[in-house]
Amino acid sequence: MTKFLACLLALLGAGGAARAAVDPGAAVIPRMEYEPLAPGSYRLERIQGTPDARLLDTRGRTVHLRDFVRGKITLLTFFYTYCVDPLGCPYSHAVLRQLREALERDPALMRRTRFVSVSFDPGNDTPAAIARYAKLWRGDARFEWRFLTAPGVPQLLPLLDDMGQDVSVDKDAQGRPTRTLHHMLKMFLIDETGTVREIYTLAFLQPTVMLNDIRTLALESAAAAGVAAARPRM
Amino acid sequence: MGRSKLIRGRADRAAGFTIGYAIRRAAGYALGRATICAMGCAVGVAALLSLPAASAFADETCNSPYISKLIKGQEGYVHVWTLGVEGLGDGSDKLVTVDVDPHSKSYGKVVGSVSVGGRGEAHHMGFTDDRRYLWAGNLDDSKIYVFDVGTHPGKPALIKTITDFAPGSGLVGPHTFYALPGRMLIGALSNTRDNGGVTGIALYNNKGALIRKYDIPRSKLGGVVGDGYGYDLAVNPAKNVLLSSSFTGRDNYMRDLGEVVKDPQAMKRFGNTMVVWNLKSFQPTQVLNVPGAPLEIRWNLVPGQNWAVTATALTSKIWLVRQDAAGTWSAKDVATIGDPAKIPLPVDISISADGKGLWVNTFMDGTTHYFDLSDPEHPKQTYEKKTGSQVNMVSQSWDGKRVYITSSLLAHWDKKGADNEQYLRAFNWDGHELAPAFQIDFLAAKLGRPHHMKFTAGT
């Protein structure tokens, strides 16, 4: 476990109480009490496609999501820069950072993998804001980790709806909106063709399993390429 | 119709979101300062409130453990999936919504009723992972209805009907709806080939498309031969385990109960197994011998516990499913419910949030039982109350202070004549006595036979 994630988890005791004030839900640090299956020994189902969306990168340039969910194995997640829920965006990005460090030890797999983080809040999370946020997480420049935001909420909502990603504004005990966006922590594993093959919510956010899933997709892709290569040319 | 409602909902939401964020920035939220503009905030609050609120306050303990917004406290509404009765009201299956907030003017009253335009043996329901939608299934015509309960929990809307479950999956009787992230697991009771009890599990995505069907095993696994029967599903994510249980096929559940019990051959066609699955691979790893139709499965997910219980309908037992130090799962008969010789027919169960208590309803004698599960190897009944002439489903609030029961088992299995009470009854539970809070007579209200219940928060 990285030093950063260890520190984050160490903070969760205090964070749990803070979370209870906002959302006294059942969220707990995910437990893993089993041996994960070996890569390639199981099948990841084809859950759904990935829609396109017009977004902005950290330099404010217009980009299309479709260009970042194909050609590589992609982990897509949603966040907002001022999220302070210790089991929300900071936790998911700490898991991604841990995964990135594992991928850096396997350069061939690293080149086949990317992360994409899309902001929930186009109003606050401008390209400049997500650029600052990205510096906290990106690390090795050779690894492709895209931080994106939307030009506006109307461009974002169809993407959220299509991906089944909920978001709402939390209210306090008096029913007043708070500065917290309630969202189910979801991370989408997308294969090289743009098909969602796994969805991780908090209970399933296990870096070891996620790495095995990435390797499973890589093996599947290699096997498909091998079959294609072995096929006689007409 | 459903589609247009969806689109309109999105548009409204988009407008609210945009305005909400614009105003929020004006109010200084974005800068993280308490720079308050009274007028801006007033408008901002109004606009923000047009967003779907995350102010859920309650849940029962029987949902998927990773459903969003599992929150403790007072539930706002109970949604009751209700079987239509010919000649009663519109005769249609319907989702009935009851206000259960004691502070509400409409407490204990029906505030919503969405008929689906037909009768198909309405039975069980399950939330999607984000808790915005409720999937409700029919055991006879195998239709699945998707209700939006997130936009206006007090006024659910039917937004989608899945009509090709049977031809698409080869399965009949979609029973259990259990959320996985972005997906819905559907445990079925029967099959299209012979309407018997050999069945499977269907995996759908949240858009309503079938991804794959998995057969309940009939081979020998872990020394026990599977019977291929299915009923409930329940997941323990920390163990990467899915459990399934077993009941009977359409040829039995759509037949009069009196005829079934008199038919020795029919009585042989009930499930006697549970199956342990590797959740990741969706491969069965063990078949467990649990005779007498093990029905509902409830996990105790408290760290360090990781056991599950079920109740067997025909043998009237509580069974404990537990993993040993070597990682092998086993099932053990740990308690008797009522007098098995009288076939009290345990039906629904509800485990407390701390895993230390279990409500059990026995249909035939109309009794609600409470078992102390502090020692799961030796559950002890500490309370019972006759709650109706027939009683089926039981759901408790997360804090355990409120208990709701309904009366209907299956249209052809419910009692006849004066014993055919059809009701939703709510009780307050102080740890010693179930005190009646309110009840709704579903026959007098011309609603039908109330079955499964799910909670949503107030608004």
Side-chain angles (χ1 to χ4, degrees), chain A residues 22-45:
Chain A
V22 176
D23 173 6
V28 291
I29 299 168
R31 292 179 289 127
M32 185 169 139
E33 301 170 2
Y34 62 94
E35 278 296 316
L37 295 171
S41 68
Y42 55 95
R43 175 181 58 208
L44 292 167
E45 302 292 2

Side-chain angles (χ1 to χ4, degrees), chain B residues 256-318:
Chain B
D256 186 89
L257 180 60
E259 291 179 21
V260 172
V261 296
K262 289 175 189 165
D263 180 345
Q265 292 307 311
M267 290 304 290
K268 290 179 182 173
R269 296 196 296 271
F270 281 86
N272 294 298
T273 61
M274 294 179 74
V275 178
V276 182
W277 303 72
N278 182 304
L279 179 65
K280 188 72 185 182
S281 65
F282 240 91
Q283 293 296 313
T285 59
Q286 280 184 254
V287 176
L288 306 176
N289 188 27
V290 186
L295 299 183
E296 309 290 333
I297 306 167
R298 303 290 177 254
W299 279 103
N300 180 348
L301 296 171
V302 173
Q305 297 298 312
N306 290 315
W307 45 261
V309 288
T310 188
T312 49
L314 302 182
T315 48
S316 209
K317 300 283 187 180
I318 295 175

Side-chain angles (χ1 to χ4, degrees), chain A residues 22-27 31-35 37 41-49 82 120-124 153-154 156-157 160-172 175-179 181-184 186 197-201 203-204 209 213, chain B residues 10 13-15 17-18 21 24-25 29-32 44-45 48-49 51-55 65-72 129-130 132 180-183 203 205-207 211-212 214 235-240 278-281 283 301-304 306 323 398 459:
Chain A
V22 176
D23 173 6
R31 292 179 289 127
M32 185 169 139
E33 301 170 2
Y34 62 94
E35 278 296 316
L37 295 171
S41 68
Y42 55 95
R43 175 181 58 208
L44 292 167
E45 302 292 2
R46 288 173 167 78
I47 299 171
Q48 66 167 88
Y82 52 97
F120 277 118
D121 186 356
N124 184 80
V153 171
L156 180 64
L157 283 178
L160 297 179
D161 276 342
D162 199 283
M163 299 302 287
Q165 176 65 69
D166 65 322
V167 63
S168 56
V169 177
D170 263 348
K171 290 189 273 186
D172 64 17
R176 299 171 302 200
T178 69
R179 200 170 175 254
L181 299 185
H182 182 97
H183 62 98
M184 192 173 191
K186 279 186 175 177
R197 303 296 295 276
E198 185 57 285
I199 303 171
Y200 311 97
T201 52
F204 296 93
V209 176
D213 289 351
Chain B
R10 287 173 183 169
R13 195 173 144 208
F17 215 76
T18 308
Y21 275 102
R24 197 202 60 191
R25 285 200 305 278
Y29 279 103
L31 299 174
V45 168
L48 282 160
L49 289 177
L51 284 167
S55 58
Y66 26 83
I67 274 181
S68 178
K69 304 170 191 172
L70 279 176
I71 300 177
K72 306 137 192 172
D129 57 356
D130 56 12
R132 289 189 290 175
L180 288 176
R183 288 152 286 176
L203 178 67
N205 68 21
N206 277 1
K207 297 171 186 285
I211 298 172
R212 192 172 296 277
Y214 308 94
V235 164
N236 183 332
K239 290 287 182 183
N240 187 38
N278 182 304
L279 179 65
K280 188 72 185 182
S281 65
Q283 293 296 313
L301 296 171
V302 173
N306 290 315
Q323 192 179 33
W398 185 272
T459 50

Side-chain angles (χ1 to χ4, degrees), chain B residues 333-415:
Chain B
D333 161 14
V334 291
T336 298
I337 306 160
D339 179 0
K342 295 178 180 171
I343 312 180
L345 209 62
V347 274
D348 198 15
I349 59 177
S350 176
I351 195 168
S352 60
D354 63 5
K356 292 182 178 175
L358 186 76
W359 290 104
V360 180
N361 273 350
T362 44
F363 178 80
M364 296 305 288
D365 57 9
T367 301
T368 299
H369 312 251
Y370 187 79
F371 282 82
D372 180 350
L373 275 186
S374 300
D375 176 2
E377 300 276 349
H378 304 93
K380 288 185 175 59
Q381 181 176 309
T382 56
Y383 176 82
E384 71 172 38
K385 183 185 184 85
K386 185 164 176 63
T387 48
S389 57
Q390 57 186 3
V391 62
N392 189 34
M393 302 307 290
V394 55
S395 294
Q396 66 183 301
S397 58
W398 185 272
D399 59 14
K401 293 179 179 175
R402 293 165 302 286
V403 178
Y404 302 87
I405 60 172
T406 56
S407 50
S408 179
L409 173 52
L410 289 156
H412 296 281
W413 288 28
D414 284 351
K415 294 182 178 179

